[in-house]
């Protein structure tokens, strides 16, 4: 019999749950994700997302800052020219959509708050899990770039650390899958990205330290079939390679924080407008 997911999660910093969603459930989620590529914003309002060279561009962008309670779209580098005109088909132009799909889109809401997610949170020992953000990630062939090694707690910090990512494969993820450094969640948060406290600085976000260099040999690939859910500890170091396969690699991901046992940092980039609260997994 498989050991409890909490034990495996504590040891490795991630857990792979195969067949988390059925073929029909995956198809419904994927269809909803494809639908998000229709009705793209007008050219002047298009924003590129990248974890590498144009990060400064993204960081300065108010659109990103304001996306906590919206369904906002972020384009791939290489999908737009300098005027925001599409260089590729609309269906493969997006990097991701976020960060409130779990609340504002009925399909993503249905699956984010489904019994399987509640049960998994319960098995992980979470007392008051809330959803803080959600993203649909396209990782299209050719365009879907690498995601550099990072810890999710760099972006979404809680005190003490109680962040867990749910990453659900909606296509088979082979080339361009997630890579983990097993056990790397035990060394604390290496750096944080916070809202810039200096209102006169043009950067809206700042990092508290340079990114460490993570040895390539520490990473293990986790190819998974569609319908698999990967649980990601907030401090486990992970990355994903560019999608050089001829196939898309869509995924739906959301992040959970246990508010009973931790505090969500007011310094995090992602903040709801005043008066709004993160929706509880057990209460919705
Ligand atoms: Fe991540």
């Amino acid at each position: 019999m498989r050991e409890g997911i909490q034990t495996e999660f504590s040891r490795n910093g991630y857990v792979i749950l195969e067949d988390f969603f059925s073929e029909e459930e995956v198809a419904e989620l994927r269809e909803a994700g494809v639908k998000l590529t229709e009705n793209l914003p007008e050219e002047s309002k298009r924003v590129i997302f990248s974890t590498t060279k144009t990060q400064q561009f993204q960081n300065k962008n108010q659109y990103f800052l304001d996306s906590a309670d919206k369904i906002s779209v972020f384009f791939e580098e290489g999908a737009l020219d300098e005027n925001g005109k599409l260089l590729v088909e609309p269906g493969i132009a997006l990097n991701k959509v976020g960060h409130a799909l779990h609340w504002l889109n009925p399909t993503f809401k249905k699956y984010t708050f489904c019994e399987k997610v509640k049960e998994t949170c319960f098995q992980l020992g979470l007392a008051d899990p809330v959803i803080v953000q959600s993203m649909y990630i396209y990782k299209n062939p050719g365009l879907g770039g690498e995601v550099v090694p990072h810890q999710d707690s760099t972006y979404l910090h809680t005190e003490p650390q109680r962040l867990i990512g749910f990453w659900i494969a909606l296509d088979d993820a082979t080339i361009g899958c997630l890579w983990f450094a097993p056990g790397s969640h035990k060394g604390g948060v290496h750096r944080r990205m916070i809202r810039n406290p200096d209102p006169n600085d043009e950067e809206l976000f700042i990092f508290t330290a340079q990114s460490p260099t993570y040895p390539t040999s520490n990473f293990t690939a986790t190819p998974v079939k569609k319908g698999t859910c990967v649980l990601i500890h907030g401090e486990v170091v992970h990355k994903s390679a560019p999608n050089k396969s001829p196939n898309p690699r869509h995924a739906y991901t959301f992040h959970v924080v246990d508010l009973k046992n931790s505090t969500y940092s007011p310094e995090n980039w992602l903040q709801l407008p005043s008066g709004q609260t993160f929706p509880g997994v057990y209460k919705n």
Side-chain angles (χ1 to χ4, degrees), residues 100-117:
L101 286 167
H102 62 282
W103 198 240
L104 300 177
N105 180 296
T107 303
F108 294 107
K109 187 175 185 180
K110 178 171 105 179
Y111 288 108
T112 310
F113 295 93
C114 72
E115 285 307 315
K116 276 178 212 170
V117 172

Side-chain angles (χ1 to χ4, degrees), residues 135 147-148 150-152 155 167 178 232 236 238-239 255:
M135 295 183 280
V147 175
V148 297
H150 67 279
Q151 300 171 296
D152 290 347
Y155 305 95
W167 184 95
L178 295 174
I232 305 172
V236 75
H238 58 287
K239 63 176 183 173
H255 282 87

